[in-house]
Amino acid sequence: MPFLTLSNLTKSFGEFTAVKDMTLSIEKGEFISLLGPSGCGKTTTLQMIAGLLEPSAGRILLDGKDITKTPPNKRGLGIVFQSYALFPHMTALENVAFGLEMRGVGKAERVERAHKALQQVKLDQFTHRFPKEMSGGQRQRVALARALVIEPPVLLLDEPLSNLDAKLREDMRIELRLLQQDIGVTTILVTHDQEEALSMSDRIVVMKDGDIAQIAAPLDLYERPANTFVSDFVGKTNLISGTTTGPDSVTVDEEDLSLPGHGQPTGQTVTLSIRPEKFHLSSDQTGHEVQVRAAIFLGSSWLYRVESSMGDLFVTQPNTGMPGFGRGDKARISWPEGAMTLFSEAA
Amino acid sequence: MSSSSKTPYLMTGPGVLFFAALLGVPMLLTFLLSLHAYDFNTGVVPGWTLTNYVDVLGDSYFHKIFGRTFGLALLVTVICALIGAPEAYILSRLSNPWRSIFLLVVLGPLLISVVVRTLGWALFFGGKGVLTMVAQGLGFTDAPVSLMFTFTGMTIALVHVLVPFMVISVWASLQKIDPQSEDAALTLGASKFTVLRRITLPQAMPGILSGSIIVFALTASAFATPAIIGGRRMKVVATAAYDEYLSTLNWPLGATIAVLLLFANIVIIVSYNKLVERRFSKVFE
């Protein structure tokens, strides 16, 4: 039996439906991401789970119990807010101990457990600092310790890393994931950052306009997106418009491509998705002829924009230590058949 | 010196001159006046002396007036905080258009002259006023009920005049509170009342404290309301200074009282502010 179940969860604000009939089952210890652009209903979903918003319809089951009508202060879930929402008039230790105090834990035990929680997030040096005296990353850790110290059945993270700078964000991803795996707490992360979702989750729920667009494990989601929205939103991709010319082939601007067993009727307009890193760009004689329009060096890789008979394409190539192509260079492009994903919808 | 570094001085110059001429000079003259003796036959006596200060500080009549003034200021401040802070909190929880309407209702009295408002209270408090009619109509008493020339009357009228300042001040600090911090406390198991007491109130404290400074200073130096409601029977420092100037014509003594009021006010407010800053500098921006 799943640990946390959302069944037909719906939230409307007047005419506008933020979350439509959402059904989702989450296993104990799982790390789930709700991923989508702003306004897709992911935060609304999280707030309904937290009890801060009342669903218009549907039920929420936690460990077999219906908690749909339970007020937030009786749910006992741990939440890390986007703004961290620390109590500015309390020290880090007092912030962390607050939840324990509300549970009636005695003072000595409270302080000891709060200390331990701060140690867990490597903040034991800062117990007596006020939030104002700490950096963004430290505040974030206090918020995490505060949510974890009450040993919640479910940890809810609302864009917890979005206020951190890029380098810190990457470090925190790893740390957060390790911590989550060590504790084994069921976690739901809300994010608009696809890299964050891909790098941390067991499963990702991609949302669009209040609907679930796809639920899949990160690798599946990246390699086998269910539709053009997912393929475009998760990772970079090239969406190319074409027409099927037979059961095994597609034509794109009079360029015939072999795509065995694509399963679409002949003469149908389709969209091909090819990830930039699946291309192979070379100066030898195999593949389609392209011209480099822009070359951007990214350190670990090169990002090219090339002009081809199929339109402009984005191509990334690993940095091998050799000079890359320059603007205006002629080159040949090729890719394996399996790199193409075909959608029956128009791009 | 380049012309650009002079610009700030040139731009603030007119304002500085304005205040120096209209505020600084009269205050200085008042202070100098307080250092002269007064004779009922010859008027202000030339030559410097501290007798006025010795007189005021040693006279139990003035002790009583100063005591009453700061007692009144303290009481009005406490009542304004007790009324104004919840009022601001409720206002901040209302949604538009009610919030705008009630904010206007709260701030509206500031648009009316203090004298007019106080005269309104005088009509209400007087022996033949609304208060008497209501009390008699409800059968509480047959005698007229008057709050004119009473400490209670002054307190009520001053609270009415000054509570908007407290509301504005608390309102400003409530606006700065991250509403998610209240949600966070709620999800950590706090009841709504605990959230109010442990999370919202402490964060609104800077507003309550700075509002208190404003209300205290304005009450301690209030003139119109004590003059009309308190009259001669309930003198406060400001009305006492006024009477020395215009009734007894003892200008130096009036100046002395005014200088002492200013000095006491400054000492109280500065030390209070120090206390507040020491308490909150680490916590709030």
Side-chain angles (χ1 to χ4, degrees):
Chain A
M1 196 176 71
F3 187 59
L4 179 70
T5 309
L6 314 181
S7 85
N8 307 99
L9 208 58
T10 301
K11 180 67 191 177
S12 311
F13 299 98
E15 293 285 288
F16 174 69
T17 308
V19 177
K20 293 172 199 157
D21 209 24
M22 180 163 175
T23 296
L24 180 66
S25 295
I26 297 165
E27 297 300 324
K28 198 173 175 111
E30 218 179 354
F31 194 123
I32 292 272
S33 290
L34 302 182
L35 173 67
S38 53
C40 72
K42 55 191 192 297
T43 298
T44 308
T45 307
L46 193 83
Q47 287 189 320
M48 285 194 283
I49 299 171
L52 298 169
L53 271 181
E54 201 185 327
S56 309
R59 295 196 308 153
I60 302 166
L61 298 164
L62 176 64
D63 208 6
K65 281 192 288 285
D66 189 333
I67 59 162
T68 319
K69 300 277 179 208
T70 312
N73 48 6
K74 299 271 187 284
R75 291 194 188 192
L77 307 183
I79 302 169
V80 177
F81 292 87
Q82 186 170 12
S83 65
Y84 314 142
L86 295 181
F87 311 132
H89 55 292
M90 297 186 194
T91 61
L93 191 72
E94 287 166 342
N95 261 283
V96 176
F98 184 82
L100 296 172
E101 192 188 335
M102 293 300 118
R103 277 163 179 68
V105 177
K107 176 136 202 220
E109 190 193 340
R110 197 154 86 205
V111 170
E112 194 198 313
R113 280 172 65 182
H115 261 295
K116 213 176 268 173
L118 283 168
Q119 228 161 42
Q120 214 164 24
V121 294
K122 300 179 189 130
L123 267 187
D124 34 341
Q125 306 291 318
F126 301 93
T127 48
H128 294 295
R129 291 223 188 158
F130 285 99
K132 195 188 139 193
E133 303 171 295
M134 289 187 275
S135 71
Q138 289 164 348
R139 286 182 209 184
Q140 209 269 338
R141 286 157 193 260
V142 175
L144 187 63
R146 188 178 66 175
L148 286 174
V149 77
I150 60 172
E151 293 170 1
V154 178
L155 178 65
L156 304 173
L157 307 169
D158 185 5
E159 309 249 8
L161 307 179
S162 63
N163 287 333
L164 304 178
D165 60 61
K167 183 133 178 53
L168 195 55
R169 191 157 53 209
E170 274 177 36
D171 293 344
M172 274 309 287
R173 269 182 210 157
I174 299 166
E175 246 177 81
L176 195 57
R177 177 60 163 154
L178 286 176
L179 191 63
Q180 186 267 341
Q181 283 172 332
D182 287 348
I183 303 171
V185 63
T186 311
T187 304
I188 303 175
L189 167 79
V190 157
T191 182
H192 64 269
D193 182 340
Q194 41 100 10
E195 249 183 69
E196 203 168 291
L198 288 172
S199 60
M200 291 164 73
S201 325
D202 292 314
R203 279 193 301 157
I204 298 172
V205 179
V206 183
M207 294 183 69
K208 185 198 179 193
D209 301 331
D211 284 318
I212 293 179
Q214 189 175 0
I215 305 177
L219 184 65
D220 281 345
L221 191 74
Y222 190 82
E223 295 297 331
R224 284 172 286 282
N227 48 48
T228 51
F229 172 77
V230 175
S231 110
D232 197 35
F233 191 77
V234 180
K236 280 197 187 68
T237 197
N238 295 289
L239 292 177
I240 304 154
S241 203
T243 312
T244 50
T245 49
D248 302 319
S249 61
V250 175
T251 174
V252 177
D253 284 336
E254 290 163 18
E255 189 104 33
D256 272 316
L257 305 174
S258 153
L259 195 61
H262 58 63
Q264 298 292 328
T266 302
Q268 166 126 6
T269 305
V270 294
T271 305
L272 289 173
S273 164
I274 309 173
R275 301 272 183 207
E277 73 278 8
K278 309 275 168 154
F279 288 119
H280 179 62
L281 200 61
S282 70
S283 42
D284 57 29
Q285 295 305 307
T286 53
H288 306 263
E289 199 168 288
V290 295
Q291 189 175 19
V292 176
R293 295 281 299 270
I296 296 160
F297 182 55
L298 297 174
S300 63
S301 62
W302 287 88
L303 174 66
Y304 297 107
R305 192 170 155 195
V306 301
E307 192 179 51
S308 77
S309 56
M310 301 180 295
D312 278 5
L313 299 174
F314 282 104
V315 177
T316 47
Q317 298 290 291
N319 171 23
T320 54
M322 305 299 287
F325 293 93
R327 185 185 156 96
D329 284 356
K330 292 247 190 278
R332 297 270 184 167
I333 195 170
S334 58
W335 62 92
E337 264 170 21
M340 291 183 286
T341 314
L342 182 138
F343 303 106
S344 58
E345 41 188 325
Chain B
M1 196 190 271
S2 70
S3 69
S4 68
S5 65
K6 279 185 199 157
T7 315
Y9 297 100
L10 287 174
M11 290 183 79
T12 51
V16 170
L17 279 179
F18 183 81
F19 277 107
L22 294 180
L23 188 69
V25 171
M27 293 236 291
L28 187 67
L29 291 177
T30 304
F31 178 63
L32 293 178
L33 187 61
S34 72
L35 297 174
H36 288 290
Y38 177 79
D39 184 275
F40 280 99
N41 297 315
T42 53
V44 178
V45 180
W48 308 106
T49 172
L50 284 172
T51 39
N52 288 321
Y53 287 92
V54 175
D55 282 352
V56 173
L57 293 173
D59 191 338
S60 66
Y61 170 72
F62 287 114
H63 290 172
K64 206 172 150 193
I65 289 179
F66 271 91
R68 177 184 298 142
T69 305
F70 288 107
L72 180 71
L74 196 65
L75 186 64
V76 169
T77 306
V78 169
I79 296 175
C80 277
L82 291 178
I83 297 176
E87 197 172 333
Y89 178 73
I90 293 166
L91 272 174
S92 73
R93 287 303 155 112
L94 288 174
S95 55
N96 273 324
W98 295 112
R99 183 198 296 191
S100 312
I101 292 170
F102 281 108
L103 203 58
L104 197 69
V105 169
V106 169
L107 303 183
L110 292 180
L111 303 175
I112 306 167
S113 148
V114 182
V115 176
V116 174
R117 267 187 290 168
T118 307
L119 286 172
W121 279 110
L123 290 176
F124 188 85
F125 286 152
K128 288 176 185 163
V130 179
L131 192 63
T132 303
M133 291 198 299
V134 171
Q136 288 178 348
L138 291 174
F140 285 122
T141 176
D142 291 328
V145 184
S146 175
L147 287 177
M148 283 302 284
F149 314 117
T150 63
F151 193 77
T152 313
M154 276 201 295
T155 309
I156 294 174
L158 278 168
V159 165
H160 173 244
V161 171
L162 297 174
V163 90
F165 292 99
M166 181 65 79
V167 173
I168 298 170
S169 174
V170 177
W171 168 269
S173 70
L174 284 175
Q175 292 303 302
K176 281 192 220 153
I177 297 182
D178 176 0
Q180 285 192 331
S181 72
E182 292 170 0
D183 283 348
L186 212 55
T187 58
L188 287 169
S191 67
K192 282 192 175 157
F193 179 71
T194 307
V195 172
L196 187 63
R197 194 172 55 86
R198 297 282 308 274
I199 307 301
T200 314
L201 184 64
Q203 293 190 69
M205 222 43 202
I208 296 173
L209 295 175
S210 62
S212 299
I213 289 182
I214 298 172
V215 172
F216 186 90
L218 289 176
T219 309
S221 57
F223 174 74
T225 306
I228 296 169
I229 306 279
R232 294 264 144 64
R233 242 187 278 171
M234 272 290 150
K235 273 195 200 177
V236 295
V237 177
T239 52
Y242 175 85
D243 281 343
E244 289 306 328
Y245 266 93
L246 293 185
S247 304
T248 356
L249 296 179
N250 188 345
W251 285 29
L253 189 62
T256 307
I257 296 169
V259 169
L260 285 173
L261 174 62
L262 178 67
F263 182 71
N265 231 345
I266 289 175
V267 167
I268 290 171
I269 287 167
V270 168
S271 42
Y272 182 76
N273 210 16
K274 275 260 164 63
L275 212 72
V276 170
E277 266 177 20
R278 195 178 314 148
R279 174 74 183 76
F280 288 110
S281 65
K282 273 182 158 183
V283 181
F284 297 107
E285 325 283 330

